[in-house]
Amino acid sequence: MQAANVNSDLVKREPSPDVLSTIRAADAFCFDVDSTFCKDESIDEIAAFLGVGDEVAALTARAMGGTVLFQDALRDRLEVMKPSASDIKKYLASHPPLISPGINELLKDGSYAGFDPAEFTSHSGGKAEAVVHIKKNWGLNKIIMVGDGATDAEAKQPGGADAFVGYGGTVYRENIAERADWYVMRIEEITNALKFY
């Protein structure tokens, strides 16, 4: 875990009354998985397990540099890895999920079925589209996005997430912290805000 040095005046470590009201009125929360729900970056960990960690890390570095679209970087990394259902089962047997403290265990058995470019979260801006879809199909009015990355922050758009709660309990990213309506270091901060409502 990266040590967080939250010094920026732009980082909102306490929720404003408006953010608290939005969170408390939310119908649902959407959580990012890597470095939020889980404490690690699963694609990097699985790539290392499959013996292609360095190659995938190089592709990740290109993506983080902003020279590659999210969907292209994801597709390219999965193409290098080509994880089978058997690979994932073996990985999980020797590497149990590192769930972030405060997250209820909601995991179900599943397997990798390939890269599907039609999935919302397979491209930049896809999390906002997913939230719009969830709102429409489930009749929800307010959804809060919780996550640690740029694609999570993108979910807050008109019609998308109503608030973005940045999470730095695993990795602190100042540019994300500055974009958040509220930035937490522990999931319990969200739970506590809801408890005292």
Side-chain angles (χ1 to χ4, degrees):
M1 176 182 357
Q2 257 182 359
N5 187 8
V6 183
N7 290 325
S8 172
D9 292 335
L10 301 175
V11 178
K12 299 168 193 84
R13 287 290 293 130
E14 296 295 327
S16 70
D18 286 343
V19 169
L20 272 178
S21 177
T22 300
I23 287 170
R24 290 173 174 164
D27 298 309
F29 283 77
C30 291
F31 280 83
D32 176 45
V33 175
D34 290 338
S35 294
T36 302
F37 188 94
C38 295
K39 293 196 286 186
D40 55 8
E41 290 285 331
S42 60
I43 202 163
D44 294 342
E45 298 296 323
I46 295 167
F49 177 78
L50 295 173
V52 292
D54 290 343
E55 190 173 351
V56 168
L59 291 168
T60 299
R62 281 186 32 220
M64 295 300 181
T67 59
V68 180
L69 289 173
F70 173 79
Q71 57 267 30
D72 295 340
L74 180 60
R75 183 198 61 234
D76 292 349
R77 289 180 288 175
L78 291 172
E79 185 60 32
V80 167
M81 294 168 57
K82 293 185 175 39
S84 67
S86 174
D87 291 335
I88 298 302
K89 285 179 184 177
K90 288 176 188 171
Y91 173 80
L92 289 172
S94 60
H95 299 82
L98 299 173
I99 305 302
S100 293
I103 298 284
N104 292 329
E105 293 193 36
L106 302 173
L107 301 176
K108 294 183 178 179
D109 288 336
S111 60
Y112 176 69
F115 178 73
D116 184 351
E119 286 295 324
F120 293 118
T121 56
S122 293
H123 62 275
S124 297
K127 288 185 181 178
E129 294 172 15
V131 170
V132 168
H133 177 81
I134 291 166
K135 281 182 168 182
K136 179 181 173 190
N137 288 295
W138 291 89
L140 303 177
N141 295 312
K142 288 191 186 294
I143 293 181
I144 310 304
M145 182 68 207
V146 181
D148 70 309
T151 59
D152 306 314
E154 290 173 356
K156 184 183 174 191
Q157 294 183 15
D162 297 276
F164 169 57
V165 177
Y167 176 70
T170 301
V171 177
Y172 174 72
R173 294 180 176 98
E174 188 165 347
N175 62 327
I176 303 306
E178 291 174 352
R179 291 174 66 182
D181 295 305
W182 179 25
Y183 197 76
V184 301
M185 299 304 290
R186 297 177 307 110
I187 298 298
E188 289 87 356
E189 292 176 65
I190 301 168
T191 306
N192 289 339
L194 295 171
K195 280 183 188 175
F196 299 111
Y197 175 57

